[in-house]
Amino acid sequence: MSKTRTIKSIRGVHDILPTDSPSWQHFEKTFSSLLDSYGYSEIRMPIIESTELFKRSIGEVTDIVEKEMYTFTDRNESSLTLRPEGTAGCVRAGIQHGLLYNQQQRLWYNGPMFRRERPQKGRYRQFHQVGVETFGITGPDIDAELIAMTARLWQLLGLKNIELQLNSIGSNASRQAYKTVLVEYFTKHYDALDEDSQRRLSTNPMRILDSKNPQLAKLIATAPSILDHLDDDSQQHFDQLKNLLDAMEIQYTINTRLVRGLDYYSKTVFEWVTTELGSQGTVCGGGRYDGLVEQLGSKNTPACGFGMGIERVLDLMEAQGIVPKQNKPDFYLMMIGEGTLAKGMQLAEQIRQQIPNVKLITHCGEGSFKSQIKRADKSGAKIALIIDNKALENQQIIFNPLRDREQPQQTIAEDKLIAILLNQMV
Ligand code: HAM
């Protein structure tokens, strides 16, 4: 006898099962209505883009571009990549559709991203981000708004123990000055650097600060700080942002080593970090990227945004015991005996038509009273509505409360049914 091998999902890629969906839906609804309340609009970009887009925006000498992208050659020889993040595609779409020049835009998106990282809890190869991107506002007011909006999201979700880490990596000019000092410092400690960092010393020295190698932690901790090399404009921007956060009573920690893993940032960078998720504790990261729109071929446009890992937020909710309310059905309609099916299906449509937002499950697959009531109970429905041959003959429906044992079973005349069910919805 031949046994057919079953096929499993690939490493680092997960199904979101029906039991997980209520948490996802709760998060997504909370996020989208929050964004709506701040006047942001949704944008949906493709999952696949030309490889060049990510190389030019995220930067050639970054972990994402060097090691983590899912890139392949299409049949016409063009190089395509599954998006590792959303900012590049959002900027590309904004330029392509004329959304950015001389305009202000406040946009958000939600969707899967792909990075070929080593999978572990909180780190996946397909993961999901909600992202927010704003264009045409020089800040720091918009930087502060994005941070405040995120703080409000934590509050709406009931999350605690997430720390805001803040830094400024300055304007282009500030970074040039800083890089000279940084290269000098790391060159003195060349032998202590790992191979990646030795290479990056000449290609992208600030990336060394973002190294996850614990053996470099001490060396990085004592490296010169970017904050000592900010030009006047960057310093003023940073000071004003801190003042705005203080005014809104949003607490933050300055982390001078925070440079973020993507090359497009300038001035403000921030991350929301928790200690409750082990090594994958960054639930959200973002900042300004004033040079990116120009770098991708359009007019100079200030921009600021953030990305948030949905899996990590949901893991944190679970760790903090936050369980969203399950949306159980109101009614489960059972049809017992020959001839009851057509009546039941017709009645179900009538109920759906007349009771807004009703959640009604119609039993499918026939079966005995015992087997149908078992399913009704398992569905979590509050009430079973039963049509049997006698009820059908008398134009009645049996109303059987499944949760409230005090409420008696009743037989209801069909023409009174909608009014009685409406009563149950309040
Ligand atoms: P990022 O820091 O690379 O930034 O990612 C943002 C968030 O996505 C992280 O803080 C984390 O929560 C989540 N994340 C990243 N990689 C993984 C993974 N492998 N598994 C699970 N979650 C992950 C960006 O992507 C920028 N585009 C953010 C941004 C938008 N900056 C400005 N605008």
Side-chain angles (χ1 to χ4, degrees), residues 259-295:
V259 289
R260 311 268 305 122
L262 308 95
D263 275 354
Y264 47 61
Y265 291 106
S266 58
K267 295 187 179 163
T268 311
V269 286
F270 64 90
E271 282 186 354
W272 288 91
V273 182
T274 176
T275 50
E276 291 182 46
L277 294 178
S279 60
Q280 304 306 312
T282 308
V283 286
C284 173
R288 295 203 73 79
Y289 48 97
D290 291 336
L292 184 59
V293 177
E294 197 173 10
Q295 209 173 301

mmCIF file of all heavy atoms in Angstrom, residues 259-295:
data_model
loop_
_atom_site.group_PDB
_atom_site.id
_atom_site.type_symbol
_atom_site.label_atom_id
_atom_site.label_comp_id
_atom_site.label_asym_id
_atom_site.label_seq_id
_atom_site.Cartn_x
_atom_site.Cartn_y
_atom_site.Cartn_z
ATOM 1 N N VAL A 259 20.432 52.896 16.109
ATOM 2 C CA VAL A 259 20.624 53.424 14.749
ATOM 3 C C VAL A 259 19.635 52.812 13.756
ATOM 4 O O VAL A 259 19.506 53.259 12.641
ATOM 5 C CB VAL A 259 22.064 53.194 14.230
ATOM 6 C CG1 VAL A 259 23.034 54.095 14.961
ATOM 7 C CG2 VAL A 259 22.489 51.741 14.335
ATOM 8 N N ARG A 260 18.920 51.756 14.177
ATOM 9 C CA ARG A 260 17.973 51.032 13.336
ATOM 10 C C ARG A 260 18.699 50.246 12.247
ATOM 11 O O ARG A 260 19.825 50.545 11.890
ATOM 12 C CB ARG A 260 16.915 51.970 12.725
ATOM 13 C CG ARG A 260 16.263 52.879 13.739
ATOM 14 C CD ARG A 260 15.012 52.313 14.319
ATOM 15 N NE ARG A 260 14.058 51.960 13.311
ATOM 16 C CZ ARG A 260 13.559 50.724 13.156
ATOM 17 N NH1 ARG A 260 13.909 49.754 13.950
ATOM 18 N NH2 ARG A 260 12.683 50.471 12.219
ATOM 19 N N GLY A 261 18.047 49.213 11.736
ATOM 20 C CA GLY A 261 18.725 48.285 10.825
ATOM 21 C C GLY A 261 18.609 48.641 9.352
ATOM 22 O O GLY A 261 19.006 47.861 8.492
ATOM 23 N N LEU A 262 18.023 49.791 9.051
ATOM 24 C CA LEU A 262 17.834 50.168 7.650
ATOM 25 C C LEU A 262 18.499 51.525 7.439
ATOM 26 O O LEU A 262 18.537 52.352 8.348
ATOM 27 C CB LEU A 262 16.332 50.259 7.325
ATOM 28 C CG LEU A 262 15.495 49.034 7.714
ATOM 29 C CD1 LEU A 262 14.846 49.206 9.069
ATOM 30 C CD2 LEU A 262 14.439 48.726 6.685
ATOM 31 N N ASP A 263 19.033 51.746 6.227
ATOM 32 C CA ASP A 263 19.904 52.907 6.003
ATOM 33 C C ASP A 263 19.183 54.213 5.728
ATOM 34 O O ASP A 263 19.816 55.250 5.657
ATOM 35 C CB ASP A 263 20.822 52.629 4.803
ATOM 36 C CG ASP A 263 22.066 51.863 5.226
ATOM 37 O OD1 ASP A 263 22.251 51.666 6.448
ATOM 38 O OD2 ASP A 263 22.834 51.470 4.331
ATOM 39 N N TYR A 264 17.855 54.185 5.554
ATOM 40 C CA TYR A 264 17.218 55.407 5.066
ATOM 41 C C TYR A 264 16.925 56.449 6.143
ATOM 42 O O TYR A 264 16.424 57.522 5.863
ATOM 43 C CB TYR A 264 15.953 55.090 4.263
ATOM 44 C CG TYR A 264 14.961 54.103 4.861
ATOM 45 C CD1 TYR A 264 14.332 54.320 6.068
ATOM 46 C CD2 TYR A 264 14.632 52.943 4.156
ATOM 47 C CE1 TYR A 264 13.393 53.427 6.572
ATOM 48 C CE2 TYR A 264 13.697 52.037 4.649
ATOM 49 C CZ TYR A 264 13.078 52.288 5.859
ATOM 50 O OH TYR A 264 12.173 51.399 6.351
ATOM 51 N N TYR A 265 17.225 56.153 7.404
ATOM 52 C CA TYR A 265 16.813 57.077 8.463
ATOM 53 C C TYR A 265 17.667 58.339 8.550
ATOM 54 O O TYR A 265 18.838 58.350 8.146
ATOM 55 C CB TYR A 265 16.827 56.371 9.819
ATOM 56 C CG TYR A 265 15.726 55.331 9.922
ATOM 57 C CD1 TYR A 265 16.018 53.974 9.850
ATOM 58 C CD2 TYR A 265 14.400 55.707 10.054
ATOM 59 C CE1 TYR A 265 15.014 53.024 9.915
ATOM 60 C CE2 TYR A 265 13.386 54.765 10.115
ATOM 61 C CZ TYR A 265 13.693 53.434 10.053
ATOM 62 O OH TYR A 265 12.697 52.501 10.105
ATOM 63 N N SER A 266 17.045 59.387 9.092
ATOM 64 C CA SER A 266 17.749 60.638 9.386
ATOM 65 C C SER A 266 17.080 61.254 10.611
ATOM 66 O O SER A 266 15.898 61.008 10.842
ATOM 67 C CB SER A 266 17.641 61.601 8.206
ATOM 68 O OG SER A 266 16.281 61.841 7.919
ATOM 69 N N LYS A 267 17.809 62.019 11.365
ATOM 70 C CA LYS A 267 17.268 62.656 12.589
ATOM 71 C C LYS A 267 16.595 61.619 13.508
ATOM 72 O O LYS A 267 17.207 60.642 13.892
ATOM 73 C CB LYS A 267 16.328 63.807 12.226
ATOM 74 C CG LYS A 267 17.058 64.950 11.516
ATOM 75 C CD LYS A 267 16.139 66.130 11.322
ATOM 76 C CE LYS A 267 16.855 67.274 10.643
ATOM 77 N NZ LYS A 267 15.950 68.247 10.098
ATOM 78 N N THR A 268 15.296 61.803 13.791
ATOM 79 C CA THR A 268 14.622 60.976 14.805
ATOM 80 C C THR A 268 14.611 59.481 14.463
ATOM 81 O O THR A 268 14.211 59.088 13.359
ATOM 82 C CB THR A 268 13.132 61.413 14.910
ATOM 83 O OG1 THR A 268 13.095 62.828 15.036
ATOM 84 C CG2 THR A 268 12.444 60.733 16.064
ATOM 85 N N VAL A 269 15.029 58.658 15.430
ATOM 86 C CA VAL A 269 14.761 57.209 15.345
ATOM 87 C C VAL A 269 14.215 56.766 16.705
ATOM 88 O O VAL A 269 14.575 57.329 17.733
ATOM 89 C CB VAL A 269 16.021 56.373 14.978
ATOM 90 C CG1 VAL A 269 16.391 56.528 13.516
ATOM 91 C CG2 VAL A 269 17.206 56.693 15.868
ATOM 92 N N PHE A 270 13.330 55.787 16.674
ATOM 93 C CA PHE A 270 12.781 55.301 17.944
ATOM 94 C C PHE A 270 12.386 53.832 17.850
ATOM 95 O O PHE A 270 12.170 53.294 16.757
ATOM 96 C CB PHE A 270 11.574 56.148 18.397
ATOM 97 C CG PHE A 270 10.379 56.075 17.473
ATOM 98 C CD1 PHE A 270 9.387 55.117 17.659
ATOM 99 C CD2 PHE A 270 10.240 56.973 16.426
ATOM 100 C CE1 PHE A 270 8.280 55.054 16.820
ATOM 101 C CE2 PHE A 270 9.139 56.915 15.576
ATOM 102 C CZ PHE A 270 8.157 55.960 15.777
ATOM 103 N N GLU A 271 12.335 53.194 18.999
ATOM 104 C CA GLU A 271 11.840 51.819 19.097
ATOM 105 C C GLU A 271 11.044 51.670 20.389
ATOM 106 O O GLU A 271 11.385 52.297 21.397
ATOM 107 C CB GLU A 271 13.013 50.823 19.117
ATOM 108 C CG GLU A 271 13.587 50.603 17.739
ATOM 109 C CD GLU A 271 14.678 49.524 17.642
ATOM 110 O OE1 GLU A 271 15.088 48.993 18.686
ATOM 111 O OE2 GLU A 271 15.106 49.240 16.524
ATOM 112 N N TRP A 272 10.009 50.868 20.334
ATOM 113 C CA TRP A 272 9.276 50.474 21.538
ATOM 114 C C TRP A 272 9.723 49.063 21.884
ATOM 115 O O TRP A 272 9.589 48.153 21.051
ATOM 116 C CB TRP A 272 7.766 50.496 21.284
ATOM 117 C CG TRP A 272 7.190 51.869 21.155
ATOM 118 C CD1 TRP A 272 7.042 52.584 20.000
ATOM 119 C CD2 TRP A 272 6.657 52.684 22.217
ATOM 120 N NE1 TRP A 272 6.447 53.799 20.280
ATOM 121 C CE2 TRP A 272 6.192 53.884 21.618
ATOM 122 C CE3 TRP A 272 6.515 52.523 23.594
ATOM 123 C CZ2 TRP A 272 5.613 54.905 22.359
ATOM 124 C CZ3 TRP A 272 5.923 53.546 24.318
ATOM 125 C CH2 TRP A 272 5.479 54.717 23.714
ATOM 126 N N VAL A 273 10.256 48.892 23.090
ATOM 127 C CA VAL A 273 10.912 47.642 23.443
ATOM 128 C C VAL A 273 10.330 47.108 24.753
ATOM 129 O O VAL A 273 10.051 47.872 25.676
ATOM 130 C CB VAL A 273 12.430 47.895 23.629
ATOM 131 C CG1 VAL A 273 13.163 46.615 23.960
ATOM 132 C CG2 VAL A 273 13.021 48.521 22.376
ATOM 133 N N THR A 274 10.157 45.789 24.813
ATOM 134 C CA THR A 274 9.699 45.183 26.066
ATOM 135 C C THR A 274 10.696 44.119 26.530
ATOM 136 O O THR A 274 11.401 43.540 25.701
ATOM 137 C CB THR A 274 8.298 44.547 25.905
ATOM 138 O OG1 THR A 274 7.947 43.902 27.119
ATOM 139 C CG2 THR A 274 8.256 43.529 24.777
ATOM 140 N N THR A 275 10.714 43.899 27.816
ATOM 141 C CA THR A 275 11.600 42.847 28.350
ATOM 142 C C THR A 275 10.848 41.515 28.463
ATOM 143 O O THR A 275 11.425 40.518 28.871
ATOM 144 C CB THR A 275 12.084 43.229 29.765
ATOM 145 O OG1 THR A 275 10.934 43.593 30.537
ATOM 146 C CG2 THR A 275 13.073 44.374 29.726
ATOM 147 N N GLU A 276 9.574 41.503 28.069
ATOM 148 C CA GLU A 276 8.760 40.302 28.299
ATOM 149 C C GLU A 276 8.751 39.323 27.131
ATOM 150 O O GLU A 276 8.034 38.334 27.173
ATOM 151 C CB GLU A 276 7.318 40.708 28.637
ATOM 152 C CG GLU A 276 7.212 41.370 29.996
ATOM 153 C CD GLU A 276 5.774 41.732 30.342
ATOM 154 O OE1 GLU A 276 4.882 40.902 30.158
ATOM 155 O OE2 GLU A 276 5.564 42.865 30.807
ATOM 156 N N LEU A 277 9.511 39.608 26.068
ATOM 157 C CA LEU A 277 9.479 38.714 24.907
ATOM 158 C C LEU A 277 10.844 38.124 24.582
ATOM 159 O O LEU A 277 11.106 37.741 23.445
ATOM 160 C CB LEU A 277 8.941 39.464 23.680
ATOM 161 C CG LEU A 277 7.479 39.908 23.722
ATOM 162 C CD1 LEU A 277 7.122 40.690 22.458
ATOM 163 C CD2 LEU A 277 6.535 38.719 23.869
ATOM 164 N N GLY A 278 11.711 38.041 25.571
ATOM 165 C CA GLY A 278 13.036 37.462 25.336
ATOM 166 C C GLY A 278 13.842 38.338 24.401
ATOM 167 O O GLY A 278 13.769 39.567 24.452
ATOM 168 N N SER A 279 14.578 37.681 23.480
ATOM 169 C CA SER A 279 15.511 38.456 22.649
ATOM 170 C C SER A 279 14.795 39.242 21.537
ATOM 171 O O SER A 279 15.391 40.129 20.938
ATOM 172 C CB SER A 279 16.551 37.527 22.044
ATOM 173 O OG SER A 279 15.894 36.574 21.253
ATOM 174 N N GLN A 280 13.551 38.897 21.242
ATOM 175 C CA GLN A 280 12.844 39.624 20.176
ATOM 176 C C GLN A 280 11.887 40.636 20.797
ATOM 177 O O GLN A 280 10.670 40.571 20.628
ATOM 178 C CB GLN A 280 12.098 38.644 19.255
ATOM 179 C CG GLN A 280 12.985 37.582 18.635
ATOM 180 C CD GLN A 280 14.179 38.167 17.903
ATOM 181 O OE1 GLN A 280 14.051 39.094 17.113
ATOM 182 N NE2 GLN A 280 15.367 37.657 18.172
ATOM 183 N N GLY A 281 12.450 41.567 21.555
ATOM 184 C CA GLY A 281 11.628 42.468 22.367
ATOM 185 C C GLY A 281 11.216 43.768 21.695
ATOM 186 O O GLY A 281 10.502 44.570 22.289
ATOM 187 N N THR A 282 11.656 43.998 20.441
ATOM 188 C CA THR A 282 11.260 45.242 19.774
ATOM 189 C C THR A 282 9.917 45.038 19.092
ATOM 190 O O THR A 282 9.814 44.277 18.134
ATOM 191 C CB THR A 282 12.317 45.671 18.733
ATOM 192 O OG1 THR A 282 13.586 45.687 19.383
ATOM 193 C CG2 THR A 282 12.021 47.044 18.175
ATOM 194 N N VAL A 283 8.899 45.715 19.602
ATOM 195 C CA VAL A 283 7.574 45.512 19.006
ATOM 196 C C VAL A 283 7.291 46.532 17.905
ATOM 197 O O VAL A 283 6.455 46.314 17.042
ATOM 198 C CB VAL A 283 6.435 45.544 20.060
ATOM 199 C CG1 VAL A 283 6.431 44.288 20.875
ATOM 200 C CG2 VAL A 283 6.519 46.753 20.954
ATOM 201 N N CYS A 284 8.041 47.638 17.927
ATOM 202 C CA CYS A 284 7.762 48.692 16.946
ATOM 203 C C CYS A 284 9.024 49.518 16.735
ATOM 204 O O CYS A 284 9.760 49.762 17.692
ATOM 205 C CB CYS A 284 6.636 49.570 17.504
ATOM 206 S SG CYS A 284 6.273 51.037 16.544
ATOM 207 N N GLY A 285 9.279 49.925 15.503
ATOM 208 C CA GLY A 285 10.456 50.762 15.255
ATOM 209 C C GLY A 285 10.195 51.711 14.108
ATOM 210 O O GLY A 285 9.451 51.391 13.173
ATOM 211 N N GLY A 286 10.798 52.886 14.192
ATOM 212 C CA GLY A 286 10.598 53.835 13.098
ATOM 213 C C GLY A 286 11.449 55.059 13.240
ATOM 214 O O GLY A 286 12.411 55.083 14.013
ATOM 215 N N GLY A 287 11.091 56.078 12.484
ATOM 216 C CA GLY A 287 11.837 57.325 12.529
ATOM 217 C C GLY A 287 11.641 58.125 11.259
ATOM 218 O O GLY A 287 10.814 57.783 10.409
ATOM 219 N N ARG A 288 12.430 59.193 11.158
ATOM 220 C CA ARG A 288 12.359 60.042 9.955
ATOM 221 C C ARG A 288 13.213 59.446 8.847
ATOM 222 O O ARG A 288 14.218 58.780 9.115
ATOM 223 C CB ARG A 288 12.912 61.440 10.248
ATOM 224 C CG ARG A 288 12.142 62.249 11.227
ATOM 225 C CD ARG A 288 12.406 63.736 11.017
ATOM 226 N NE ARG A 288 11.734 64.191 9.802
ATOM 227 C CZ ARG A 288 10.435 64.469 9.725
ATOM 228 N NH1 ARG A 288 9.654 64.353 10.762
ATOM 229 N NH2 ARG A 288 9.904 64.862 8.570
ATOM 230 N N TYR A 289 12.814 59.713 7.608
ATOM 231 C CA TYR A 289 13.659 59.322 6.466
ATOM 232 C C TYR A 289 13.538 60.393 5.395
ATOM 233 O O TYR A 289 13.017 60.176 4.311
ATOM 234 C CB TYR A 289 13.295 57.925 5.955
ATOM 235 C CG TYR A 289 11.823 57.653 5.739
ATOM 236 C CD1 TYR A 289 11.260 57.769 4.478
ATOM 237 C CD2 TYR A 289 10.995 57.275 6.791
ATOM 238 C CE1 TYR A 289 9.916 57.527 4.257
ATOM 239 C CE2 TYR A 289 9.643 57.041 6.578
ATOM 240 C CZ TYR A 289 9.114 57.163 5.321
ATOM 241 O OH TYR A 289 7.774 56.931 5.105
ATOM 242 N N ASP A 290 14.090 61.570 5.738
ATOM 243 C CA ASP A 290 13.902 62.755 4.898
ATOM 244 C C ASP A 290 14.548 62.643 3.515
ATOM 245 O O ASP A 290 14.159 63.358 2.605
ATOM 246 C CB ASP A 290 14.462 63.991 5.626
ATOM 247 C CG ASP A 290 13.619 64.357 6.845
ATOM 248 O OD1 ASP A 290 12.431 63.987 6.869
ATOM 249 O OD2 ASP A 290 14.148 65.003 7.773
ATOM 250 N N GLY A 291 15.533 61.745 3.368
ATOM 251 C CA GLY A 291 16.235 61.681 2.079
ATOM 252 C C GLY A 291 15.697 60.630 1.127
ATOM 253 O O GLY A 291 16.086 60.589 -0.053
ATOM 254 N N LEU A 292 14.791 59.760 1.596
ATOM 255 C CA LEU A 292 14.452 58.571 0.794
ATOM 256 C C LEU A 292 13.684 58.889 -0.493
ATOM 257 O O LEU A 292 13.958 58.291 -1.542
ATOM 258 C CB LEU A 292 13.675 57.560 1.656
ATOM 259 C CG LEU A 292 13.348 56.237 0.963
ATOM 260 C CD1 LEU A 292 14.604 55.520 0.490
ATOM 261 C CD2 LEU A 292 12.541 55.316 1.883
ATOM 262 N N VAL A 293 12.751 59.813 -0.413
ATOM 263 C CA VAL A 293 11.935 60.095 -1.605
ATOM 264 C C VAL A 293 12.847 60.589 -2.737
ATOM 265 O O VAL A 293 12.737 60.141 -3.886
ATOM 266 C CB VAL A 293 10.819 61.114 -1.279
ATOM 267 C CG1 VAL A 293 10.024 61.455 -2.529
ATOM 268 C CG2 VAL A 293 9.891 60.571 -0.192
ATOM 269 N N GLU A 294 13.780 61.475 -2.385
ATOM 270 C CA GLU A 294 14.717 61.988 -3.389
ATOM 271 C C GLU A 294 15.638 60.872 -3.893
ATOM 272 O O GLU A 294 15.894 60.738 -5.089
ATOM 273 C CB GLU A 294 15.537 63.133 -2.776
ATOM 274 C CG GLU A 294 16.215 63.977 -3.825
ATOM 275 C CD GLU A 294 16.881 65.216 -3.226
ATOM 276 O OE1 GLU A 294 16.975 65.321 -1.982
ATOM 277 O OE2 GLU A 294 17.336 66.065 -4.016
ATOM 278 N N GLN A 295 16.066 60.057 -2.950
ATOM 279 C CA GLN A 295 16.953 58.941 -3.297
ATOM 280 C C GLN A 295 16.282 57.991 -4.297
ATOM 281 O O GLN A 295 16.930 57.329 -5.088
ATOM 282 C CB GLN A 295 17.207 58.173 -1.998
ATOM 283 C CG GLN A 295 18.519 57.458 -1.890
ATOM 284 C CD GLN A 295 18.601 56.923 -0.453
ATOM 285 O OE1 GLN A 295 18.554 57.682 0.507
ATOM 286 N NE2 GLN A 295 18.691 55.611 -0.308
#
